[in-house]
Amino acid sequence: MSMTRRAAIIGGNRIPFARAHGAYRRASNQDMLTATLDGLVARFGLQGKRMGEVVAGAVLKHARDFNLTRESVLGSRLDPTTPAYDVQQACGTGLEAAVLVANKIALGQIDSGIAGGVDTTSDAPVALNDDLRRVLIDLSSARTWQRKVRALAGIRPGQLVPDLPRTAERRTGLSMGEHAAITARELGIGRAEQDALTVASHHNLAAAWDSGFFDDLVTPYLGLVRDQNLRPDTSLDRLAALRPVFGRGEGATMTAGNSTPLTDGAAAVLLGSDEWAAAHRLPVLAHLVDAQTAAVDHVHGDEGLLMAPVRAVPVLLARHGLTLRDFDFYEIHEAFASTVLATLHAWADPEYCRTHLGLDAALGGIDRAKLNVHGSSLAAGHPFAATGARIVATLAKTLHRAGPGRRGLISICAAGGQGVVAILESRP
């Protein structure tokens, strides 16, 4: 990728993440994304400003949300002539949106932009039963009353049952959790280490909230001022009492505690060129240096559904002449505690790296004290498309506070066997 200039991360905003069917049960994707954009607008004085682009998306969308991001811009206090469009790469959506905006800034096509994502499982789309849809099509095309009555007479009670959205992978029928449980079993990821990582996530997020770290990253919404899933008093003993919900038999290790819950929320990141930021007297927290995507064949291959970032990171590191230990902070999305541990296990395993990544040796290990230092999805929750923007904003601020020349790595797994990873760096 040829860059003429680096894209600056100026700041971010999100609403507190809510457990599904909780505080945001009556809010739509558009409601939450608009509120998040308006929070960003207020924080950075963007009222009436025309941005280069706004790029965002959602994984679970109603038909009415076909132009979700543009409609959210029109409902916000941004200049209504700001162009906007939707993207969707499952849980990687928010980060992919940031990469798209950063690339256009880097190439000089735009000077500023906003990237983000939103998702609600409380207002998930409910589709017509396929049989009922066919009846309604016949009814619509009928030209006589006799044909319309005949079409309506074809409706059966079972056809009135709607198709509800599922988290299962379309090609395997297994949920993400079930896929992750298979990977955890194959790589020998234990229950105790999953619970320990979960406790650390809750305690790190709670400490960050208590210290005021999120004061300029989060806007209260619908009565929530903190992430609803956060459990500051979580302990190993409490997690140990939970029964497994993914996997089967005595070897099942994944519980509702060490897995991310269904969550509602939205997040956004403000990006711009250094010149645009200076002209508007805005701070630069970090730069988005580069990114990489990858995918695995979780259907016919022997790799786990959520292991694609394991493939993407070595490619990104090689392009920049870096090793896995050349980072001050790591943000590995906690889709499940077992996913983070499986990722670290794979990078440290010479046999895995040789057979799956084509490397001569192990990619290496990381200093666990630098991992998800302000908590991550296990504690905050995981509104699918919003997670990337949350992580970008959190890491950019973390790097800025640590001082100039600090480097951070983001790794996000996604449904469909995909992964998006990126490097951020504070101004040297």
Side-chain angles (χ1 to χ4, degrees):
M1 182 164 52
S2 175
M3 288 189 176
T4 58
R5 57 183 179 178
R6 293 201 296 182
I9 301 164
I10 296 167
N13 185 60
R14 68 179 176 93
I15 56 176
F17 290 171
R19 294 181 73 90
H21 312 299
Y24 303 162
R25 60 187 178 279
R26 299 191 186 282
S28 67
N29 276 331
Q30 187 175 325
D31 293 337
M32 292 190 291
L33 184 56
T34 303
T36 299
L37 291 175
D38 272 341
L40 195 74
V41 166
R43 181 160 298 140
F44 294 99
L46 303 176
Q47 294 89 338
K49 299 282 187 185
R50 183 185 184 282
M51 307 299 295
E53 275 185 351
V54 178
V55 184
V59 176
L60 299 173
K61 295 174 66 174
H62 286 274
R64 65 176 184 248
D65 287 338
F66 79 97
N67 215 5
L68 171 65
T69 308
R70 173 62 180 155
E71 290 296 330
S72 298
V73 167
L74 288 173
S76 77
R77 286 176 287 171
L78 289 169
D79 187 316
T81 65
T82 298
Y85 62 93
D86 290 16
V87 296
Q88 202 262 60
Q89 197 173 29
C91 308
T93 298
L95 179 55
E96 189 62 73
V99 173
L100 289 169
V101 172
N103 285 351
K104 286 197 174 185
I105 291 171
L107 293 173
Q109 296 171 350
I110 58 176
D111 291 322
S112 65
I114 297 171
V118 59
D119 254 301
T120 169
T121 47
S122 296
D123 186 31
V126 177
L128 291 176
N129 180 298
D130 273 350
D131 289 341
L132 178 58
R133 181 174 60 83
R134 282 189 280 270
V135 170
L136 295 178
I137 290 173
D138 291 342
L139 177 65
S140 177
S141 60
R143 293 290 178 264
T144 66
W145 282 109
Q146 291 85 349
R147 289 182 180 276
K148 291 181 185 294
V149 170
R150 192 180 306 158
L152 287 171
I155 295 177
R156 298 289 180 269
Q159 296 171 343
L160 300 178
V161 178
D163 278 343
L164 299 174
R166 300 183 304 153
T167 57
E169 288 291 314
R170 185 168 183 175
R171 295 184 179 276
T172 65
L174 300 177
S175 69
M176 275 191 205
E178 289 166 330
H179 271 284
I182 293 171
T183 301
R185 187 186 67 241
E186 291 177 346
L187 298 184
I189 308 300
R191 166 77 179 268
E193 53 183 334
Q194 293 177 52
D195 287 351
L197 190 142
T198 303
V199 169
S201 182
H202 281 275
H203 289 180
N204 287 344
L205 186 72
W209 273 109
D210 291 343
S211 71
F213 180 84
F214 291 114
D215 287 354
D216 59 356
L217 291 176
V218 180
T219 301
Y221 183 61
L222 295 182
L224 273 191
V225 297
R226 285 194 176 193
D227 301 309
Q228 192 175 25
N229 189 59
L230 176 60
R231 298 287 183 268
D233 57 349
T234 293
S235 67
L236 289 175
D237 287 341
R238 291 188 178 190
L239 291 176
L242 300 177
R243 300 174 61 182
V245 294
F246 298 115
R248 296 179 180 177
E250 295 182 356
T253 59
M254 294 177 55
T255 69
N258 60 38
S259 306
T260 51
L262 295 175
T263 314
D264 304 336
V269 182
L270 174 62
L271 299 105
S273 66
D274 286 337
E275 296 78 11
W276 187 88
H280 291 77
R281 299 182 179 181
L282 294 173
V284 172
L285 301 181
H287 291 90
L288 202 162
V289 177
D290 198 1
Q292 180 69 40
T293 58
V296 296
D297 182 359
H298 62 287
V299 181
H300 308 99
D302 60 350
E303 290 178 280
L305 172 76
L306 303 179
M307 298 298 279
V310 174
R311 282 181 171 269
V313 164
V315 177
L316 185 61
L317 297 183
R319 191 153 66 229
H320 292 268
L322 296 171
T323 72
L324 195 55
R325 297 190 68 84
D326 291 333
F327 292 88
D328 300 284
F329 300 99
Y330 303 86
E331 286 282 348
I332 302 179
H333 164 45
E334 297 167 346
F336 305 93
S338 68
T339 305
V340 178
L341 296 166
T343 298
L344 297 177
H345 174 95
W347 284 334
D349 183 355
E351 180 62 18
Y352 191 100
C353 288
R354 184 183 65 78
T355 57
H356 291 85
L357 309 183
L359 302 178
D360 295 330
L363 193 64
I366 70 168
D367 181 352
R368 292 280 292 273
K370 301 177 178 178
L371 172 66
N372 298 344
V373 297
H374 293 111
S376 193
S377 306
L378 285 166
H382 174 37
F384 308 120
T387 290
R390 174 188 66 79
I391 289 177
V392 169
T394 299
L395 180 58
K397 181 173 178 178
T398 302
L399 293 169
H400 179 68
R401 290 179 57 162
R406 302 303 179 100
R407 190 182 292 126
L409 178 68
I410 297 175
S411 168
I412 297 180
C413 56
Q418 302 188 90
V420 189
V421 304
I423 295 174
L424 271 56
E425 195 172 72
S426 55
R427 188 193 295 268

